Amino acid sequence: MGKHYQKPVKPNEKSELRFVLSPPPKGKLLNGGKYSAHVEHDQTLGEDAVIEELAESIQPTLQKEFVALVIHRLSSYVADRLKRGYHLSFGGFNIGYSITGGFDAANAPFDPAKHKLNVIVSPRNCLKDSAAYMSPINVTQTIDPEITDVWCHSESGEQLFDKLHPGEDGFANGLAFADTDKPKVDRLWLETPDGKTAIELTIKSCDATHMTFAVPNGTAAGDYILVAQRPNPDRRTCARARHKVKI
């Protein structure tokens, strides 16, 4: 069948596919950066396990050595045909070469310093259909808040990381500034390196991953710890996040 077909899947036939989210690179959240998902695997099936399970599924009495020989021969066959310039399509896979890296002109040659030849393995429809049976579940743990970036703006508008200016707004990116049960970071202050509270800061806006706050005029220059406090859902305890900054 040339057309991609996906069998209708009932909800009770689906399996959970767990993933966690990682924050964008430093400073990218304001510039359109997004959180990236990473799939969690319960385990990895190595070659020995694959051979053993294949032998059992084909014939309970089939010797594993025979399956191992077939797999190793198939790998050698694929490598040999790729070197001869073939693109292979078999089983659940398409296998071939691709070239990455930009070329400066239509007649520009391949330059190993700029370009890379890659082996690409892509799934055919029979494997793509398996995604219909998976139900992705976000299992990211955000119990405690975390400050990932702190910055202010210079007079020219440049972002100055890990620095704050008296009389100017400060900004922070992070995780779990607001919890699912709606409590948000409700207190923000600067501590001295020895743990003493130096000055309270005024929070101007706050959501789950971003916070804007005011730094009072007259704040003395020096090294500080920015401390954010968020009530836990039980409202009786608090969680805190810390980040080193310089005034």
Side-chain angles (χ1 to χ4, degrees):
M1 296 174 62
K3 186 178 179 181
H4 179 58
Y5 171 75
Q6 223 175 48
K7 176 186 173 182
V9 180
K10 299 177 182 179
N12 60 1
E13 294 179 320
K14 290 197 173 188
S15 299
E16 287 189 359
L17 182 70
R18 300 176 302 167
F19 67 91
V20 297
L21 297 180
S22 298
K26 188 174 184 177
K28 293 297 184 181
L29 204 59
L30 281 183
N31 301 321
K34 303 293 184 182
Y35 285 78
S36 55
H38 304 275
V39 175
E40 283 194 339
H41 300 285
D42 288 330
Q43 61 178 319
T44 298
L45 286 175
E47 186 171 293
D48 289 344
V50 171
I51 290 171
E52 184 171 351
E53 291 188 355
L54 275 175
E56 182 69 22
S57 66
I58 296 172
Q59 182 179 329
T61 59
L62 186 63
Q63 292 185 350
K64 292 186 293 183
E65 290 76 11
F66 174 76
V67 179
L69 177 63
V70 172
I71 290 178
H72 295 159
R73 183 68 192 103
L74 178 60
S75 298
S76 298
Y77 169 83
V78 169
D80 178 73
R81 289 302 181 268
L82 286 177
K83 286 188 285 187
R84 297 189 186 193
Y86 288 96
H87 180 98
L88 293 90
S89 181
F90 65 94
F93 307 96
N94 293 310
I95 305 176
Y97 286 124
S98 74
I99 294 175
T100 55
F103 290 79
D104 298 326
N107 61 348
F110 181 92
D111 183 351
K114 299 179 179 179
H115 312 120
K116 186 176 180 181
L117 182 63
N118 306 288
V119 175
I120 298 297
V121 180
S122 59
R124 298 175 70 189
N125 288 347
C126 58
L127 290 185
K128 291 179 181 178
D129 287 344
S130 66
Y133 289 85
M134 306 307 297
S135 178
I137 305 295
N138 186 347
V139 294
T140 307
Q141 297 297 314
T142 54
I143 297 173
D144 292 332
E146 178 184 350
I147 300 173
T148 56
D149 303 308
V150 175
W151 74 96
C152 65
H153 291 136
S154 67
E155 292 183 357
S156 62
E158 178 187 5
Q159 289 177 300
L160 303 176
F161 286 97
D162 300 332
K163 293 183 179 180
L164 297 172
H165 286 173
E168 302 289 343
D169 284 346
F171 306 90
N173 287 335
L175 302 174
F177 290 162
D179 208 341
T180 54
D181 198 27
K182 304 301 186 241
K184 296 182 179 181
V185 167
D186 62 356
R187 187 184 169 208
L188 191 69
W189 68 92
L190 293 175
E191 277 185 1
T192 58
D194 59 1
K196 297 179 180 179
T197 300
I199 191 165
E200 295 281 340
L201 305 178
T202 300
I203 300 171
K204 301 178 73 172
S205 65
C206 179
D207 59 27
T209 60
H210 181 66
M211 188 165 31
T212 303
F213 54 92
V215 181
N217 280 313
T219 303
D223 294 324
Y224 293 90
I225 308 294
L226 178 68
V227 185
Q229 180 172 286
R230 188 210 68 209
N232 285 323
D234 60 18
R235 306 284 180 171
R236 297 188 299 272
T237 59
C238 295
R240 292 176 180 176
R242 290 176 165 82
H243 191 92
K244 292 181 179 180
V245 296
K246 183 182 291 290
I247 299 291

